[in-house]
Amino acid sequence: MQIISAISLWFIPVLIGFILVYSVIKKVPAYETFVEGGKEGIKMAVSIIPFLVGMMVAISVFRASGALDYLMNFLKPILEMVGIPVEVAPLAIIRPISGNAALGMTSDLIAEHGPDSFIGILASTIQGSTDTTFYVLTVYFGAVGIKKMGDALKVGLLADLAGFAAAITIVTLMFGSK
Amino acid sequence: MVNYIWVFMTLIGLIFAAFNGTIADVNEAVFKGAKEAVTLCIGLVSILVFWLGMMRIAEKAGLLEVLARLFRPLVKSLFPEVPAGHPAMGYILSNMIANLFGLGNAATPLGIKAMEELKRLNGGKDYASRSMITFLAINTSSITLIPTTVIAIRVTYNSASPTEIVGPTIVATFFSTIAAIMIDRYFYFRRSRKG
């Protein structure tokens, strides 16, 4: 577990250093290229605003009304039996369907429970380690005109399930005491 | 699908509030939720700008190609139906590398190109071939090294250690990708047994 924590700490600084050294060797105008790429980041952040506003309003209405607590009390015994914290269950459901909606839920969980809480870390890991199966499926197959998907959806969703299981297991092992 | 979930969540919330006496809280929640979302996006700008800038450097310096060359043997065994040197292989590799670094926007066009080539290999038919399903499975399980957006959210909410999740994310993504490949293989062998 200590190795994984060390990776967390060192990975980004080492990667940044490596990219910069490599760019010097390859004689790439690093700063100008950086600025050019960075502009895309602004566009990206602005373009997700509507997605986040929509989803976060819906979630906060759902929670403020008391419906979320009601639902969770209802689901709790079932989910606890299989070791899933009840708070992340809605995230697990929406993650394969909409990436931006899931991002809204992750943000909400982090805001509600704190980024360094067990739930906050688990939500972060789930968000980071799986992708939006329906989106990938629709975009990739749609773009090239594949009409019969075969086992693709089944395989994709089962893989998501495996991803959640992996995220829950690793986060419980590393941060279970929080 | 997400349309239904969204409408359902909001409507249930409104109806529940009407009977539960929490309508005042719901009023407040509408505006609080919207404000929170915008504040969050502004917070995301910093890290997205930095990371996409760094990645552009990596791309221009040719780092992605180097990595693609490194992973070629591995990917070849994953897609036995794709002949060596076929353009599909190049696109599959670049797509995976772009995903690895959290470059979703760069990954999508590459993924679509890969699918086009795979479709051509399949004689242009409109059903998903074995390689297509494998490619999709790997993509949906998402091989990420740096979950940029998540780190940005953690920074925004004053995490004591925003990058603490990089390690667990890599481990989780590793296992989920292995699982995706195994599930894909299982379904393939089940199909081929049926003939």
Side-chain angles (χ1 to χ4, degrees):
Chain A
M1 291 306 126
Q2 253 172 354
I3 300 170
I4 302 173
S5 298
I7 291 175
S8 300
L9 199 62
W10 282 90
F11 192 76
I12 292 176
V14 168
L15 189 63
I16 293 172
F18 183 73
I19 291 172
L20 290 182
V21 169
Y22 198 82
S23 76
V24 172
I25 296 171
K26 289 281 167 181
K27 299 196 177 62
V28 172
Y31 183 64
E32 285 159 36
T33 315
F34 173 84
V35 171
E36 190 194 310
K39 283 180 189 160
E40 219 175 284
I42 302 179
K43 249 189 276 164
M44 214 195 230
V46 172
S47 69
I48 60 174
I49 290 180
F51 295 100
L52 281 188
V53 169
M55 208 24 95
M56 286 180 87
V57 167
I59 298 167
S60 64
V61 165
F62 195 68
R63 178 167 3 90
S65 71
L68 184 64
D69 288 335
Y70 189 82
L71 183 73
M72 280 185 177
N73 281 333
F74 182 72
L75 290 176
K76 205 166 195 161
I78 309 162
L79 292 171
E80 267 175 358
M81 237 160 44
V82 274
I84 302 171
V86 67
E87 291 87 348
V88 299
L91 176 63
I93 294 167
I94 212 150
R95 187 71 188 95
I97 299 166
S98 164
N100 286 311
L103 192 63
M105 280 197 181
T106 302
S107 317
D108 189 72
L109 285 172
I110 290 175
E112 194 58 19
H113 299 271
D116 302 316
S117 65
F118 179 74
I119 296 295
I121 292 172
L122 181 57
S124 307
T125 307
I126 291 177
Q127 175 73 23
S129 65
T130 50
D131 209 330
T132 321
T133 299
F134 280 92
Y135 171 82
V136 177
L137 208 71
T138 319
V139 171
Y140 285 11
F141 280 173
V144 298
I146 296 295
K147 297 209 180 67
K148 295 180 197 107
M149 296 187 183
D151 291 326
L153 182 62
K154 255 183 290 175
V155 173
L157 288 178
L158 283 173
D160 286 337
L161 205 63
F164 297 135
I168 290 171
T169 310
I170 182 74
V171 173
T172 309
L173 281 177
M174 282 185 72
F175 304 98
S177 50
K178 278 198 185 185
Chain B
M1 182 97 121
V2 73
N3 289 313
Y4 289 116
I5 293 181
W6 189 63
V7 170
F8 177 81
M9 247 180 12
T10 315
L11 280 184
I12 294 289
L14 295 177
I15 295 166
F16 203 93
F19 288 103
N20 210 19
T22 45
I23 207 80
D25 300 312
V26 164
N27 255 317
E28 201 194 317
V30 170
F31 298 102
K32 227 182 83 193
K35 195 174 163 213
E36 187 134 345
V38 176
T39 316
L40 181 66
C41 287
I42 303 301
L44 290 185
V45 173
S46 56
I47 287 181
L48 286 181
V49 167
F50 179 74
W51 203 246
L52 287 177
M54 285 313 289
M55 281 304 129
R56 183 63 64 88
I57 300 177
E59 202 186 327
K60 266 227 166 134
L63 257 180
L64 301 192
E65 284 149 47
V66 172
L67 280 171
R69 218 171 303 141
L70 223 67
F71 282 110
R72 185 155 299 156
L74 178 82
V75 174
K76 247 165 92 180
S77 58
L78 280 177
F79 297 92
E81 288 177 354
V82 180
H86 193 276
M89 205 53 105
Y91 287 123
I92 290 173
L93 275 163
S94 342
N95 166 271
M96 285 164 86
I97 301 292
N99 266 327
L100 209 59
F101 286 95
L103 296 169
N105 281 2
T108 306
L110 291 166
I112 292 172
K113 287 301 264 184
M115 277 294 177
E116 262 172 31
E117 294 296 336
L118 290 177
K119 190 183 178 188
R120 194 163 303 152
L121 268 177
N122 197 30
K125 300 188 187 85
D126 70 346
Y127 65 87
S129 68
R130 176 191 176 185
S131 308
M132 286 176 175
I133 297 175
T134 306
F135 181 58
L136 211 102
I138 294 173
N139 249 287
T140 60
S141 75
S142 156
I143 18 171
T144 325
L145 289 184
I146 314 264
T148 323
T149 326
V150 176
I151 294 175
I153 295 173
R154 297 173 59 78
V155 172
T156 309
Y157 287 110
N158 304 318
S159 167
S161 174
T163 57
E164 200 172 32
I165 55 137
V166 172
T169 302
I170 293 176
V171 174
T173 213
F174 178 76
F175 279 113
S176 79
T177 305
I178 303 258
I181 293 167
M182 278 168 29
I183 293 164
D184 172 59
R185 282 291 189 264
Y186 168 74
F187 275 97
Y188 169 71
F189 285 118
R190 219 181 59 162
R191 278 199 305 273
S192 51
R193 244 207 338 256
K194 267 190 209 156

